[in-house]
Amino acid sequence: MSATAEKQNATEARIAGLNLQTDGWSASTRSDAVARLRAMGLPERRDEYWKFTRPDALTQADAPQAALFDAGEAALFEGTDTLSVVFDDGVFNADASDPLAMDHLSIERLAGAGADIHWAKGVYGVLEARGQTPVPRPLATLNTAFATDGVLIHVTGKAPKPISLVYNHSDEASDAILHHVIKLDAGAELTVLENGPAAARFNKVMEVDIADTATFHHVRAQGRDHERRAATHLFARLGTESTFKSFTLTVNGRLTRNECVIELTGDDAIAHVAGACVGDGDFHHDDTVFITHDAERCESRQVFKKVLRNGAVGVFQGKILVKAGAQKTDGYQISQSLLLDGDSEFLAKPELEIYADDVVCSHGSTSGAIDEEALFYLRSRGVPEALATDLLTLAFLAEAVEEIEDEGLRDVIVDRLEGWLERHRG
Amino acid sequence: MLNIRNLHVKLEEEDKQILKGVDLSVEAGKVHAIMGPNGSGKSTLSYVLSGKDGYEVTDGTAHLGDIDLLDIEPEERAAAGLFLAFQYPVEIPGVGNMTFLRTAVNAQRKARGEDEMSAAEFLKVVRARARELKIDADMLKRPVNVGFSGGEKKRNEILQMAMLEPKMCILDETDSGLDVDAMKLVAEGVNALRNEGRGFLVITHYQRLLDHIKPDVVHIMADGRIVKTGGPELALEVENNGYADILAEVA
């Protein structure tokens, strides 16, 4: 595959100002990534995979500015006991971070890891490269080539507390590229939290390699800056009887594209990916998910809920690919939008591609408004209309939010959703 | 307590007059029943009083005490003390029954300028009330009316009534879809709430509910009007002879 001249030019313009690291353990992976990127070119609006989301702002040479936003509230997971790693506009903040040490795991910075880290070399850019077939994801390849920092976490047992990645935004023109690599050995367990606006423009990749019987939980909140833009990729590879559960809350943001690419390679593995987003006005949110079943008796669930008002746009592209031999696959996919007015829009492209003959796969996609009967019922009991609408909106989001297993983390997310709904009443 | 004068109501979407001059007064401490054939306007009356969309009042008034009901929002009517037990209680997936009850109780208290009920106090009261209605802890935890049987839904309505302690209760065909045992349970729940300060308007097709909730006054409604008013014996007359005789008599 080779990119058109137009794409080549756009790609060269984008990478001209970026610094390619030529020493250290990741150098060869990075130069390979540059070659791969040049071959495919950055996405443009005519690409089928970008039919519903204009990639321009994500691919242009300079990041569009994003005004800073003071949320006026405590950081999201502040009440949770975590090991916190802080990045300001993509730059590691040692003073604000906890010491990078915890039982049953090693954690290092991508930028600091000068030594030859064998385990990381086996994952960094590897899952990303695997995720390029059958659909190219050039922004992730760009990230592998030019990521400036990130964390490398190798988990050997049950981590005693979550690792919290905090992304602050304090520069209106910041353009951050972070790349995290997480490897869980057999039986290991880890929860990773992510939170914050990150930068004016944020390109982030997280690769998670989950060995047999290991468990990975991920709870992410993208908020609350209105003008931020982000393209994120989450690549996961699952071994036998392993578990992967990821939930993302997105509030505000001019443009967010979250891609999640999951490969079930061992039998009896479980992968759940869920998202709740709320947008009011200039808001475009795209969830693009690709789950490949390549082993027997695996379960995958995709649950995406979007609340949209005042012209906000929601996109869902979700695919379940069941390879020949992936018998007894249990796949579920639901994407729904609650349109709080007539100006908002939800674009969905659910896909199933199945080559095994003994599988259960279901998918559904709906768009709807607040249920008037339920609204009247609540009001007839004395619940004011605005509060009743909030209750019904939270109820709509519940199926996605309930994918968060940890009750404490779930409460934190529900609390934030309540706050947002209260501020954005019609 | 509840005073309805010359109430005329049409459907908002089409030119169809449903209520054609309803006059009705329910005094505090009394139970009034409205009976009538299908399509006589009984349920419309209950919806209009509680403020459902889709109806247009073309003439007449409805007051709860001094409050002009037709001038305020459904939630304000509820806070003023009006309660409608729905014929078809609505299922609300994702909203826990307990959350719903507590939100409603506290929203009404707030609207009336009263202190909100604490979580502990609320829990104590709701458990006691639920026990009387044979509503178990599981039903309280589940989403509002989701997966409830017909009888459970109606008991849940009465539980809401018991928690909200309204001044004026309207029961819209609460007996529909209930077997005899369930009806007794619901009737006991209603009877437990009868007191001097509270009025009831019981809408029903059949006399049998009125065996359990004894009315003081019975009204017959037909074609959008109250056509006859009498004592409990009027309900028995309907039970024995149907509506035809009465309607022929007033025609």
Side-chain angles (χ1 to χ4, degrees), chain A residues 28-47:
Chain A
S28 62
T29 306
R30 289 174 183 270
S31 64
D32 286 351
V34 174
R36 287 192 287 122
L37 176 63
R38 284 190 163 127
M40 66 180 117
L42 284 169
E44 59 178 23
R45 60 183 310 196
R46 273 171 302 203
D47 293 353

mmCIF file of all heavy atoms in Angstrom, chain A residues 28-47:
data_model
loop_
_atom_site.group_PDB
_atom_site.id
_atom_site.type_symbol
_atom_site.label_atom_id
_atom_site.label_comp_id
_atom_site.label_asym_id
_atom_site.label_seq_id
_atom_site.Cartn_x
_atom_site.Cartn_y
_atom_site.Cartn_z
ATOM 1 N N SER A 28 14.970 1.367 16.792
ATOM 2 C CA SER A 28 14.662 0.646 15.546
ATOM 3 C C SER A 28 13.145 0.535 15.346
ATOM 4 O O SER A 28 12.630 0.656 14.229
ATOM 5 C CB SER A 28 15.310 -0.739 15.559
ATOM 6 O OG SER A 28 14.778 -1.500 16.621
ATOM 7 N N THR A 29 12.409 0.337 16.456
ATOM 8 C CA THR A 29 10.937 0.301 16.359
ATOM 9 C C THR A 29 10.419 1.631 15.828
ATOM 10 O O THR A 29 9.511 1.683 14.992
ATOM 11 C CB THR A 29 10.330 0.031 17.755
ATOM 12 O OG1 THR A 29 10.912 -1.150 18.290
ATOM 13 C CG2 THR A 29 8.831 -0.127 17.674
ATOM 14 N N ARG A 30 11.021 2.723 16.314
ATOM 15 C CA ARG A 30 10.581 4.049 15.897
ATOM 16 C C ARG A 30 10.875 4.296 14.417
ATOM 17 O O ARG A 30 10.016 4.830 13.694
ATOM 18 C CB ARG A 30 11.262 5.123 16.763
ATOM 19 C CG ARG A 30 10.742 5.160 18.205
ATOM 20 C CD ARG A 30 11.570 6.135 19.051
ATOM 21 N NE ARG A 30 11.189 6.187 20.442
ATOM 22 C CZ ARG A 30 10.275 7.015 20.962
ATOM 23 N NH1 ARG A 30 9.647 7.862 20.160
ATOM 24 N NH2 ARG A 30 9.995 7.009 22.244
ATOM 25 N N SER A 31 12.057 3.906 13.976
ATOM 26 C CA SER A 31 12.348 4.170 12.557
ATOM 27 C C SER A 31 11.492 3.281 11.657
ATOM 28 O O SER A 31 11.049 3.709 10.585
ATOM 29 C CB SER A 31 13.844 4.039 12.261
ATOM 30 O OG SER A 31 14.265 2.721 12.478
ATOM 31 N N ASP A 32 11.207 2.049 12.119
ATOM 32 C CA ASP A 32 10.269 1.204 11.370
ATOM 33 C C ASP A 32 8.896 1.873 11.288
ATOM 34 O O ASP A 32 8.224 1.839 10.246
ATOM 35 C CB ASP A 32 10.080 -0.158 12.064
ATOM 36 C CG ASP A 32 11.297 -1.058 11.891
ATOM 37 O OD1 ASP A 32 12.193 -0.680 11.106
ATOM 38 O OD2 ASP A 32 11.339 -2.118 12.546
ATOM 39 N N ALA A 33 8.483 2.457 12.411
ATOM 40 C CA ALA A 33 7.162 3.096 12.452
ATOM 41 C C ALA A 33 7.091 4.266 11.472
ATOM 42 O O ALA A 33 6.070 4.474 10.802
ATOM 43 C CB ALA A 33 6.842 3.547 13.877
ATOM 44 N N VAL A 34 8.169 5.027 11.387
ATOM 45 C CA VAL A 34 8.183 6.137 10.427
ATOM 46 C C VAL A 34 7.990 5.607 9.002
ATOM 47 O O VAL A 34 7.209 6.160 8.222
ATOM 48 C CB VAL A 34 9.503 6.946 10.511
ATOM 49 C CG1 VAL A 34 9.557 7.995 9.412
ATOM 50 C CG2 VAL A 34 9.635 7.615 11.872
ATOM 51 N N ALA A 35 8.662 4.512 8.712
ATOM 52 C CA ALA A 35 8.536 3.918 7.375
ATOM 53 C C ALA A 35 7.099 3.449 7.134
ATOM 54 O O ALA A 35 6.525 3.667 6.057
ATOM 55 C CB ALA A 35 9.513 2.757 7.228
ATOM 56 N N ARG A 36 6.511 2.806 8.158
ATOM 57 C CA ARG A 36 5.121 2.346 8.023
ATOM 58 C C ARG A 36 4.182 3.527 7.834
ATOM 59 O O ARG A 36 3.254 3.498 7.012
ATOM 60 C CB ARG A 36 4.704 1.536 9.259
ATOM 61 C CG ARG A 36 5.332 0.140 9.333
ATOM 62 C CD ARG A 36 4.664 -0.723 10.414
ATOM 63 N NE ARG A 36 5.017 -0.334 11.772
ATOM 64 C CZ ARG A 36 4.146 0.022 12.719
ATOM 65 N NH1 ARG A 36 2.851 0.042 12.452
ATOM 66 N NH2 ARG A 36 4.552 0.355 13.929
ATOM 67 N N LEU A 37 4.436 4.576 8.614
ATOM 68 C CA LEU A 37 3.580 5.762 8.512
ATOM 69 C C LEU A 37 3.666 6.375 7.116
ATOM 70 O O LEU A 37 2.658 6.749 6.515
ATOM 71 C CB LEU A 37 3.988 6.794 9.578
ATOM 72 C CG LEU A 37 3.234 8.123 9.534
ATOM 73 C CD1 LEU A 37 1.749 7.900 9.807
ATOM 74 C CD2 LEU A 37 3.799 9.111 10.551
ATOM 75 N N ARG A 38 4.881 6.469 6.592
ATOM 76 C CA ARG A 38 5.055 7.063 5.252
ATOM 77 C C ARG A 38 4.339 6.224 4.207
ATOM 78 O O ARG A 38 3.780 6.748 3.251
ATOM 79 C CB ARG A 38 6.532 7.180 4.917
ATOM 80 C CG ARG A 38 7.183 8.331 5.658
ATOM 81 C CD ARG A 38 8.598 8.603 5.152
ATOM 82 N NE ARG A 38 9.045 9.918 5.571
ATOM 83 C CZ ARG A 38 10.192 10.150 6.229
ATOM 84 N NH1 ARG A 38 11.003 9.147 6.521
ATOM 85 N NH2 ARG A 38 10.504 11.378 6.575
ATOM 86 N N ALA A 39 4.327 4.910 4.409
ATOM 87 C CA ALA A 39 3.677 4.030 3.435
ATOM 88 C C ALA A 39 2.160 4.203 3.448
ATOM 89 O O ALA A 39 1.510 4.184 2.405
ATOM 90 C CB ALA A 39 4.043 2.578 3.718
ATOM 91 N N MET A 40 1.607 4.364 4.632
ATOM 92 C CA MET A 40 0.128 4.478 4.676
ATOM 93 C C MET A 40 -0.366 5.910 4.608
ATOM 94 O O MET A 40 -1.444 6.181 4.092
ATOM 95 C CB MET A 40 -0.437 3.730 5.895
ATOM 96 C CG MET A 40 -0.087 4.263 7.246
ATOM 97 S SD MET A 40 -0.864 3.223 8.555
ATOM 98 C CE MET A 40 0.575 2.592 9.378
ATOM 99 N N GLY A 41 0.411 6.846 5.128
ATOM 100 C CA GLY A 41 -0.014 8.251 5.129
ATOM 101 C C GLY A 41 -1.034 8.509 6.225
ATOM 102 O O GLY A 41 -1.732 7.603 6.668
ATOM 103 N N LEU A 42 -1.096 9.769 6.666
ATOM 104 C CA LEU A 42 -2.060 10.124 7.708
ATOM 105 C C LEU A 42 -3.484 10.098 7.145
ATOM 106 O O LEU A 42 -3.678 10.245 5.937
ATOM 107 C CB LEU A 42 -1.725 11.504 8.278
ATOM 108 C CG LEU A 42 -0.534 11.510 9.243
ATOM 109 C CD1 LEU A 42 -0.106 12.943 9.546
ATOM 110 C CD2 LEU A 42 -0.856 10.760 10.528
ATOM 111 N N PRO A 43 -4.466 9.923 7.968
ATOM 112 C CA PRO A 43 -5.846 9.833 7.452
ATOM 113 C C PRO A 43 -6.337 11.162 6.876
ATOM 114 O O PRO A 43 -5.892 12.224 7.296
ATOM 115 C CB PRO A 43 -6.657 9.460 8.698
ATOM 116 C CG PRO A 43 -5.829 9.847 9.863
ATOM 117 C CD PRO A 43 -4.407 9.736 9.424
ATOM 118 N N GLU A 44 -7.227 11.048 5.937
ATOM 119 C CA GLU A 44 -7.900 12.244 5.419
ATOM 120 C C GLU A 44 -9.389 11.954 5.347
ATOM 121 O O GLU A 44 -9.816 10.806 5.493
ATOM 122 C CB GLU A 44 -7.336 12.634 4.051
ATOM 123 C CG GLU A 44 -7.476 11.532 3.014
ATOM 124 C CD GLU A 44 -6.971 11.935 1.643
ATOM 125 O OE1 GLU A 44 -6.150 12.856 1.559
ATOM 126 O OE2 GLU A 44 -7.428 11.338 0.666
ATOM 127 N N ARG A 45 -10.151 12.975 5.122
ATOM 128 C CA ARG A 45 -11.597 12.825 5.285
ATOM 129 C C ARG A 45 -12.229 11.881 4.281
ATOM 130 O O ARG A 45 -13.318 11.383 4.508
ATOM 131 C CB ARG A 45 -12.298 14.189 5.272
ATOM 132 C CG ARG A 45 -12.105 14.969 4.007
ATOM 133 C CD ARG A 45 -12.763 16.314 4.135
ATOM 134 N NE ARG A 45 -14.149 16.195 4.612
ATOM 135 C CZ ARG A 45 -15.027 17.181 4.505
ATOM 136 N NH1 ARG A 45 -14.685 18.321 3.967
ATOM 137 N NH2 ARG A 45 -16.259 17.015 4.938
ATOM 138 N N ARG A 46 -11.531 11.596 3.171
ATOM 139 C CA ARG A 46 -12.113 10.669 2.201
ATOM 140 C C ARG A 46 -11.950 9.205 2.620
ATOM 141 O O ARG A 46 -12.555 8.322 2.058
ATOM 142 C CB ARG A 46 -11.488 10.880 0.823
ATOM 143 C CG ARG A 46 -12.203 11.954 0.020
ATOM 144 C CD ARG A 46 -11.439 12.290 -1.233
ATOM 145 N NE ARG A 46 -10.080 12.743 -0.898
ATOM 146 C CZ ARG A 46 -9.342 13.498 -1.701
ATOM 147 N NH1 ARG A 46 -9.789 13.823 -2.891
ATOM 148 N NH2 ARG A 46 -8.141 13.882 -1.338
ATOM 149 N N ASP A 47 -11.106 8.952 3.596
ATOM 150 C CA ASP A 47 -10.911 7.570 4.054
ATOM 151 C C ASP A 47 -12.200 7.032 4.665
ATOM 152 O O ASP A 47 -12.834 7.699 5.484
ATOM 153 C CB ASP A 47 -9.794 7.501 5.110
ATOM 154 C CG ASP A 47 -8.431 7.827 4.510
ATOM 155 O OD1 ASP A 47 -8.366 7.974 3.273
ATOM 156 O OD2 ASP A 47 -7.452 7.947 5.272
#
